[in-house]
């Protein structure tokens, strides 16, 4: 398998991880990814990018079956308001496409938040930087690598 930017950064940091490829024919949701990996849905997290009313960008890592609470997200990021980033703006900002956006190795380093639910887990899955690739990694390693703040950010 060709290494993604996320995998190269994990390697460079000496972080232990496992990668898992899966078939995405016909589209696949985060909940479907968990089923495909034969994992509990609470172990699989999605990476969401937002934009504040002042044009600031933030990353939120939340369980795939949960919804980001935009009010909690705004409070965490100290913004008056945040909205989801338009899909067309994702690649130029992060270097990743929708469905393959990893919190690791974005083109632009953004302030990152991870839902507190991840912190009591031995490992979680996040995108490996391309559609059809997940990385199994320790939440504490992910926090260190992304300089994320752990906080309650879901509805």
């Amino acid at each position: 398998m060709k290494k993604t930017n996320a995998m190269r950064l994990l390697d460079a940091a000496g972080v232990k991880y496992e990668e898992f490829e899966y078939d995405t024919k016909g589209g696949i949701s985060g909940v479907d990814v968990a089923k495909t990996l034969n994992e509990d849905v609470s172990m699989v997290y999605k990476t969401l990018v937002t934009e504040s009313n002042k044009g600031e960008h933030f990353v939120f890592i939340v369980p795939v079956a949960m919804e980001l609470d935009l009010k909690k997200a705004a409070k965490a990021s100290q913004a008056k308001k945040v909205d989801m980033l338009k899909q067309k703006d994702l690649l130029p900002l992060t270097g990743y496409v929708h469905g393959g956006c990893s919190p690791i190795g974005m083109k632009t380093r953004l302030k990152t938040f991870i839902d507190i639910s991840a912190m009591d887990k031995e490992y979680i899955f996040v995108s490996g930087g391309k559609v059809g690739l997940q990385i199994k990694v320790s939440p504490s390693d992910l926090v260190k690598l992304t300089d994320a703040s752990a906080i309650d950010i879901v509805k």
Side-chain angles (χ1 to χ4, degrees):
M1 172 192 313
K2 184 180 173 195
K3 296 266 183 177
T4 63
N5 196 37
M7 294 161 70
R8 284 189 290 279
L9 287 170
L10 287 163
D11 289 342
V15 173
K16 183 181 167 194
Y17 68 95
E18 293 179 61
E19 68 270 359
F20 297 86
E21 286 189 289
Y22 55 91
D23 185 13
T24 60
K25 286 184 184 135
I28 188 165
S29 72
V31 173
D32 292 333
V33 169
K35 289 178 190 169
T36 300
L37 296 174
N38 202 24
E39 283 288 338
D40 186 299
V41 72
S42 70
M43 304 301 277
V44 182
Y45 283 66
K46 57 189 171 187
T47 304
L48 304 173
V49 182
T50 64
E51 184 171 27
S52 77
N53 57 307
K54 293 184 177 178
E56 303 162 299
H57 297 100
F58 304 101
V59 175
F60 295 92
I61 306 165
V62 299
V64 294
M66 305 291 285
E67 189 177 338
L68 176 65
D69 185 317
L70 293 175
K71 289 184 182 195
K72 288 180 181 179
K75 185 177 180 181
S77 60
Q78 299 179 332
K80 186 173 183 178
K81 181 181 179 192
V82 296
D83 289 303
M84 295 304 299
L85 185 70
K86 291 182 178 81
Q87 192 169 326
K88 69 177 178 63
D89 297 331
L90 187 64
L91 180 60
L93 179 67
T94 66
Y96 293 124
V97 297
H98 179 74
C101 185
S102 179
I104 306 162
M106 290 188 179
K107 188 164 43 170
T108 306
R109 188 156 179 107
L110 303 173
K111 179 71 179 147
T112 301
F113 301 88
I114 186 168
D115 189 66
I116 194 76
S117 64
M119 300 317 295
D120 65 353
K121 295 175 172 46
E122 182 182 342
Y123 63 87
I124 61 171
F125 290 85
V126 295
S127 174
K130 71 176 189 175
V131 177
L133 176 67
Q134 290 285 301
I135 290 176
K136 179 180 177 179
V137 64
S138 143
S140 60
D141 285 338
L142 184 60
V143 164
K144 287 178 202 162
L145 199 59
T146 61
D147 196 27
S149 300
I151 192 164
D152 173 23
I153 49 174
V154 295
K155 287 187 178 180

